[in-house]
Amino acid sequence: MAYRLAGSGEPLLLLHGIGATKDDFSELIPRLAEHFEVLAVDLPGHGSSPMLEVRPTVAAITDAIIADLDARGLDRVHVLGNSLGGRIALEMATRGRALSVVALSPSGLGLPPERVFQGGLMTAARIANKLRNPLIERMSRNVVGRTALTAGLRALPWRASRRESLSVKGGFAEAEGCWSMLWDAILWDVPIGMPRITCPVTLAQGVLDMVASAQTVRYTPLIPGARFVPLPYAGHAPQSDTPDTIVELVRRTAARAHATT
């Protein structure tokens, strides 16, 4: 899979949500690289990463990520994930491959009506971005266009950078694996094994998240020692809504990993 590497120190893996790419973390990467060796990945079928040859379930995507980490000689890593990326981060933790996890609005615990609603939103985003794909590059050059591209995912979309807004081009607009991933990794996903997690976990969700409803806090009683943090003035993908808070959450959660070893 395609990675962007930056910084030095302990490895920190960044996992984006469905319909995005590693560029969704583009403004966070330099800040995180001051403290970690950052590996930002394009999930299968998104950005520059090819589709999987099997159904893109959470388990299969996690298998692919772990295989890439093995190839890089990496065992356990800190993980920051958003939405589906947060769900995959928790799956890695159940397998003992995470040193610590910060999961921003992780998918997986939606009730049936919430899953239908979330699926409808993702479908609308896919269709809308495919239709405006020829305009996305031009839209990303000004604040009005960037706001239109990231509205709904961010609570303060006008703060999104050009690279962050272009994430929808390699994601919702052009991702080959978008439909199958929506079906297999989100709508039909049922998390198991959460009580097996032994690393520090911080669950965070924007209070203005209109996509994932109350899914995040439902993980708290399932994961031993997990902490839930609400993010004021933040949406479903809060990377540019509250960047300083996210960096601090990652640092503090990583520090908890050292305190328990």
Side-chain angles (χ1 to χ4, degrees):
M1 290 185 286
Y3 282 84
R4 176 182 172 186
L5 306 177
S8 61
E10 291 189 315
L12 170 65
L13 179 66
L14 306 186
L15 301 172
H16 63 79
I18 189 172
T21 69
K22 59 183 179 295
D23 284 340
D24 211 23
F25 292 99
S26 60
E27 298 307 302
L28 276 177
I29 289 174
R31 304 181 193 211
L32 292 167
E34 295 176 9
H35 312 283
F36 301 93
E37 180 185 29
V38 179
L39 300 87
V41 63
D42 282 338
L43 293 182
H46 289 60
S48 300
S49 291
M51 291 182 63
L52 296 179
E53 296 181 356
V54 297
R55 290 173 53 204
T57 62
V58 167
I61 298 169
T62 305
D63 287 342
I65 291 170
I66 288 176
D68 269 21
L69 293 178
D70 288 343
R72 293 174 180 273
L74 294 172
D75 182 19
R76 301 174 71 203
V77 297
H78 300 288
V79 192
L80 168 63
N82 173 227
S83 192
L84 176 58
R87 168 69 181 96
I88 296 168
L90 296 174
E91 181 70 14
M92 290 180 63
T94 68
R95 304 187 189 190
R97 297 301 296 263
L99 288 167
S100 69
V101 169
V102 175
L104 308 172
S105 305
S107 59
L109 289 182
L111 301 175
E114 293 168 341
R115 292 177 186 246
V116 171
F117 176 72
Q118 189 171 359
L121 289 179
M122 297 298 101
T123 297
R126 168 70 163 174
I127 294 172
N129 281 289
K130 283 187 73 68
L131 289 174
R132 66 186 177 190
N133 191 20
L135 304 175
I136 289 178
E137 180 75 29
R138 188 182 311 168
M139 292 173 68
S140 71
R141 297 173 187 167
N142 61 79
V143 67
V144 175
R146 292 194 293 271
T147 298
L149 289 171
T150 57
L153 293 174
R154 281 156 164 74
L156 308 173
W158 53 89
R159 289 187 178 179
S161 69
R162 183 166 185 263
R163 286 191 68 174
E164 286 174 317
S165 63
L166 280 172
S167 178
V168 301
K169 184 173 179 64
F172 282 122
E174 298 177 351
E176 296 180 67
C178 202
W179 291 124
S180 54
M181 193 174 286
L182 174 61
W183 184 260
D184 289 313
I186 294 181
L187 297 183
W188 286 101
D189 174 52
V190 178
I192 59 174
M194 296 297 113
R196 295 200 302 266
I197 295 176
T198 58
C199 70
V201 173
T202 298
L203 303 158
Q205 184 169 28
V207 297
L208 300 178
D209 184 352
M210 298 292 104
V211 178
S213 186
Q215 291 186 56
T216 304
V217 72
R218 293 175 188 149
Y219 276 103
T220 310
L222 304 179
I223 302 172
R227 301 178 182 180
F228 174 73
V229 178
L231 302 176
Y233 311 108
H236 183 67
Q239 288 88 312
S240 58
D241 291 333
T242 56
D244 293 336
T245 301
I246 293 171
V247 172
E248 189 61 22
L249 287 178
V250 173
R251 293 186 64 193
R252 289 183 179 180
T253 307
R256 285 166 54 200
H258 293 297
T260 56
T261 57

